[in-house]
């Protein structure tokens, strides 16, 4: 076939594949959509629409680094294609990079000066950047900051006689209190701020005393459960407890980060987990995720939810407490559990993780960042992160890390999986994700892993989403982010 004919055939075939990709996207099958857009791009890489559409699918999977790359390719192909700038701006916004996003939305406005939607979104982005500049201007240097916890005396807060919710009698958080609080939450009632302060201040003291890497010992004949991201899906958290029992010294859990954001019952989730930890520190272990941070909470809903249900002081207090969360756990000296993944360099020892000064907001590079943000990749070696933060690491990286530290398995979370889990890297790495039908649209299952000592063979239990009250995910998220989702 002559070259011109081949090109025409490829262009025509690419359009057919794009139609299939669009259908997959509409059905929320974003990974499938990405595969199909990739096929269309391979047939015709000079169509900006394919690049921008694939960028949008990456955004839906929270792969913002890949989305920025694809949107930039769309712009290179057609510098006047507004959706290229629009998608890249949305990806920058989702990463909290407001200044970069603003430049892209200014370009959208330039290309489409009379589009009211472009005008509205540019205004929202300008507001976000102004707010950020203002916050930077008034914030005190780290060395001068006083702990907000020091200014709170929960004993002096009166509980109104008409309050009929859960109460803590004295200083001890009991199982009866936790059960009553959960029942109140189930019926969309609030916990009195006196008791909310008490729980959060007590958990702060417990967490501050822990090392950055916590060792967990599971005696022979006992079991231990690891859960992944819950993301504010309180009713699905209760379903886990229904399926697997409440946390106790005989039924301990590790929740592996990302307790909050996106789901609109994040406060209920975090207070429940914190209350169980106060009740019995060895009944529940908590690891920091990339969403236990100010920048994420500002964008994805937790900050807005706390402000709406409690107060501004609680926003600061939670931010402080999140900086106290440990970064990783090791079960019986054999299983390494971390929210994100492994490192950009070989030779990292467990002692290096123990030595991390974690009492800060997560940095944008280094060991702490990589623990919270990295993802596995199917091919060997290391590559750039599809998220734009951290890195991707292959089976060889996992194998070397395990060998160098005399470990058997890496368990991590951080990524939505259709079945709630995925076993990768020759069985040496398991991803577990515990938020089923994530954001009410992904259709995925949730999962948790039960380990029985001494052999610690992973027994993976999957479950589906349960109904919840009619409050949409991201109900408390920043207005500008909802505009772009």
């Amino acid at each position: 076939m002559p070259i011109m004919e081949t090109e025409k055939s490829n262009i025509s075939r690419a359009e057919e594949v794009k139609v299939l990709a669009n259908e997959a996207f509409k059905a929320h099958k974003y990974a499938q959509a990405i595969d199909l857009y990739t096929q269309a791009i391979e047939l015709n890489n000079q169509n900006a629409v394919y690049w921008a559409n694939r960028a949008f699918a990456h955004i839906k999977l929270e792969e913002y680094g890949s989305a920025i790359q694809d949107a930039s390719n769309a712009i290179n192909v057609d510098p006047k294609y507004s959706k290229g700038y629009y998608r890249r701006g949305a990806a920058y916004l989702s990463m909290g990079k407001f200044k970069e996003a603003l430049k892209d939305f200014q370009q959208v406005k330039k290309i489409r000066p009379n589009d009211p939607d472009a005008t509205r979104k540019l205004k929202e982005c300008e507001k976000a950047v102004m707010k950020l500049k203002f916050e930077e201007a008034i914030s005190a240097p780290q060395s001068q900051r006083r702990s907000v916890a020091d200014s709170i005396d929960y004993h002096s807060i009166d509980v109104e006689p008409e309050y009929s919710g859960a109460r803590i009698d004295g200083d001890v958080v009991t199982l009866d209190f936790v059960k009553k609080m959960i029942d109140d939450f189930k019926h969309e009632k609030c916990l009195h701020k006196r008791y909310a302060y008490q729980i959060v201040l007590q958990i702060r003291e417990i967490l501050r005393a822990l090392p950055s890497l916590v060792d967990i010992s599971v005696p022979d004949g006992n079991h231990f459960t690891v859960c992944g991201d819950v993301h504010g899906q309180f009713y699905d958290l209760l379903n886990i407890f229904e399926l697997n029992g409440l946390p106790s010294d005989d039924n301990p859990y590790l929740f592996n980060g990302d307790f909050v954001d996106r789901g609109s019952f994040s406060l209920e989730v975090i207070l429940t987990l914190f209350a169980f930890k106060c009740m019995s520190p060895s009944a529940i272990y908590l690891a920091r995720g990339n969403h236990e941070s100010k920048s994420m909470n500002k964008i994805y809903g937790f900050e807005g939810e706390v402000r709406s249900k409690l107060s501004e002081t609680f926003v600061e207090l939670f931010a402080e407490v999140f900086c106290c969360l440990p970064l990783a756990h090791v079960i019986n000296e054999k299983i390494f559990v971390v929210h994100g993944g492994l490192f950009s360099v070989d030779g990292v020892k467990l002692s290096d993780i123990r030595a991390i000064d974690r009492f800060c907001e997560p940095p944008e590079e280094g060991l702490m960042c990589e623990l919270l943000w990295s993802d596995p990749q199917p091919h060997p070696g290391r590559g750039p992160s599809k998220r734009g933060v951290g890195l991707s690491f292959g089976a060889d990286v996992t194998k070397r890390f395990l060998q160098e530290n005399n470990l058997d398995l890496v368990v991590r979370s951080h990524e939505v999986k259709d079945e709630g889990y995925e076993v990768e890297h020759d069985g040496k790495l398991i991803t577990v994700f515990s938020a089923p039908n994530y954001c009410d649209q992904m259709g995925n299952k949730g999962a948790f892993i039960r380990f029985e000592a001494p052999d610690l063979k992973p027994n993976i239990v999957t479950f589906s989403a349960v109904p919840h009250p009619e409050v949409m995910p991201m109900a408390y998220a920043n207005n500008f982010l909802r505009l772009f989702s």
Side-chain angles (χ1 to χ4, degrees):
M1 195 186 289
I3 290 170
M4 287 291 287
E5 286 300 311
T6 306
E7 274 181 18
K8 273 186 189 169
S9 168
N10 283 353
I11 288 167
S12 167
R13 176 74 189 124
E15 275 298 297
E16 290 168 15
V17 176
K18 181 197 86 170
V19 170
L20 296 174
N22 289 351
E23 284 169 8
F25 186 95
K26 280 177 196 156
H28 305 305
K29 295 177 178 173
Y30 302 118
Q32 189 185 334
I34 286 168
D35 290 342
L36 289 163
Y37 288 130
T38 302
Q39 289 174 37
I41 288 165
E42 284 165 356
L43 289 162
N44 176 17
N45 66 6
Q46 290 304 299
N47 189 319
V49 175
Y50 305 163
W51 291 106
N53 285 8
R54 192 171 75 175
F56 198 14
H58 280 303
I59 287 169
K60 289 292 189 182
L61 291 179
E62 301 176 25
E63 297 170 355
Y64 304 122
S66 298
I68 288 164
Q69 223 169 3
D70 276 354
S72 298
N73 283 328
I75 292 162
N76 289 338
V77 168
D78 182 357
K80 290 192 160 45
Y81 183 55
S82 63
K83 271 199 180 156
Y85 298 100
Y86 186 89
R87 298 288 177 237
R88 190 169 68 184
Y92 277 134
L93 268 184
S94 301
M95 293 174 72
K97 299 194 171 193
F98 303 120
K99 290 168 190 172
E100 291 89 336
L102 181 59
K103 287 177 194 166
D104 278 328
F105 290 118
Q106 285 166 340
Q107 280 298 124
V108 174
K109 175 71 175 159
K110 203 180 280 184
I111 295 165
R112 290 160 42 189
N114 300 318
D115 183 334
D117 188 51
T119 304
R120 191 163 54 107
K121 284 170 178 167
L122 176 60
K123 276 186 181 157
E124 283 297 330
C125 202
E126 284 170 341
K127 270 201 302 203
V129 171
M130 288 298 289
K131 188 168 182 252
L132 188 71
K133 282 181 179 167
F134 176 71
E135 285 169 356
E136 283 172 358
I138 62 167
S139 68
Q142 191 72 40
S143 58
Q144 293 173 20
R145 282 181 205 166
R146 285 187 64 239
S147 163
V148 70
D150 296 341
S151 66
I152 300 161
D153 175 16
Y154 66 84
H155 295 99
S156 67
I157 299 171
D158 291 330
V159 179
E160 301 77 13
E162 61 270 21
Y163 174 72
S164 61
R167 293 170 181 260
I168 302 171
D169 194 13
D171 289 330
V172 179
V173 174
T174 63
L175 180 58
D176 283 344
F177 162 78
V178 181
K179 283 179 173 175
K180 167 71 172 143
M181 182 183 73
I182 287 173
D183 194 57
D184 288 347
F185 286 161
K186 254 175 27 187
H187 295 96
E188 297 184 80
K189 293 178 185 169
C190 292
L191 180 67
H192 195 282
K193 68 178 179 180
R194 182 204 194 282
Y195 305 119
Y197 273 131
Q198 186 169 345
I199 289 166
V200 182
L201 290 168
Q202 280 188 21
I203 201 76
R204 178 175 173 268
E205 293 311 306
I206 292 167
L207 295 175
R208 278 172 80 191
L210 295 173
S212 291
L213 174 67
V214 175
D215 289 290
I216 297 168
S217 178
V218 184
D220 288 0
N222 290 33
H223 65 268
F224 189 87
T225 302
V226 178
C227 296
D229 305 35
V230 178
H231 273 302
Q233 297 186 197
F234 177 68
Y235 296 84
D236 293 307
L237 172 67
L238 296 191
N239 189 38
I240 292 171
F241 295 151
E242 194 73 33
L243 295 168
N244 196 57
L246 291 174
S248 68
D249 290 347
D250 297 327
N251 188 35
Y253 283 81
L254 164 55
F255 281 85
N256 197 26
D258 282 14
F259 322 120
V260 301
D261 279 339
R262 297 217 179 252
S264 296
F265 303 95
S266 292
L267 182 64
E268 289 80 359
V269 166
I270 199 70
L271 286 175
T272 298
L273 296 179
F274 280 2
F276 273 119
K277 183 83 178 162
C278 290
M279 179 194 85
S280 173
S282 57
I284 194 164
Y285 296 82
L286 303 169
R288 194 173 194 175
N290 62 303
H291 274 266
E292 277 68 57
S293 71
K294 273 187 195 175
S295 59
M296 293 290 107
N297 297 162
K298 196 178 285 296
I299 300 170
Y300 291 101
F302 184 60
E303 185 180 296
E305 184 180 341
V306 171
R307 198 176 279 123
S308 169
K309 293 177 180 176
L310 287 170
S311 70
E312 186 66 45
T313 307
F314 272 99
V315 171
E316 291 179 55
L317 185 58
F318 276 113
E320 212 173 276
V321 172
F322 287 166
C323 292
C324 303
L325 286 161
L327 303 175
H329 293 76
V330 173
I331 303 170
N332 285 9
E333 299 181 359
K334 287 297 166 196
I335 299 170
F336 180 70
V337 189
V338 66
H339 179 72
L342 300 182
F343 310 102
S344 53
V345 291
D346 287 333
V348 175
K349 294 289 201 290
L350 296 182
S351 55
D352 297 318
I353 300 168
R354 278 184 232 284
I356 295 171
D357 180 4
R358 70 184 189 278
F359 298 97
C360 60
E361 287 301 312
E364 293 204 3
E365 57 185 17
L367 297 187
M368 182 170 166
C369 168
E370 289 161 5
L371 284 163
L372 300 180
W373 280 95
S374 294
D375 294 292
Q377 63 183 25
H379 42 279
R382 294 176 171 91
S385 165
K386 57 195 175 187
R387 298 173 190 271
V389 189
L391 71 143
S392 298
F393 59 96
D396 54 330
V397 175
T398 300
K399 188 178 171 189
R400 280 196 301 275
F401 173 77
L402 292 172
Q403 282 174 345
E404 286 167 357
N405 289 285
N406 195 26
L407 297 162
D408 293 341
L409 179 68
V410 173
V411 174
R412 44 88 62 180
S413 304
H414 195 38
E415 281 183 287
V416 185
K417 297 293 177 186
D418 286 346
E419 292 303 311
Y421 74 97
E422 188 172 358
V423 181
E424 298 171 81
H425 292 182
D426 307 315
K428 293 293 183 187
L429 181 143
I430 303 175
T431 297
V432 60
F433 191 84
S434 303
N437 194 25
Y438 180 46
C439 289
D440 284 1
Q441 61 167 269
M442 298 300 283
N444 60 293
K445 286 182 180 161
F448 54 82
I449 310 174
R450 269 174 75 109
F451 293 98
E452 307 274 343
D455 67 348
L456 296 180
K457 187 171 166 286
N459 174 26
I460 300 170
V461 179
T462 65
F463 56 94
S464 297
V466 295
H468 63 74
E470 288 186 21
V471 183
M472 297 289 287
M474 307 279 280
Y476 300 93
N478 246 328
N479 185 39
F480 65 79
L481 193 68
R482 285 203 300 278
L483 288 175
F484 298 97
S485 59

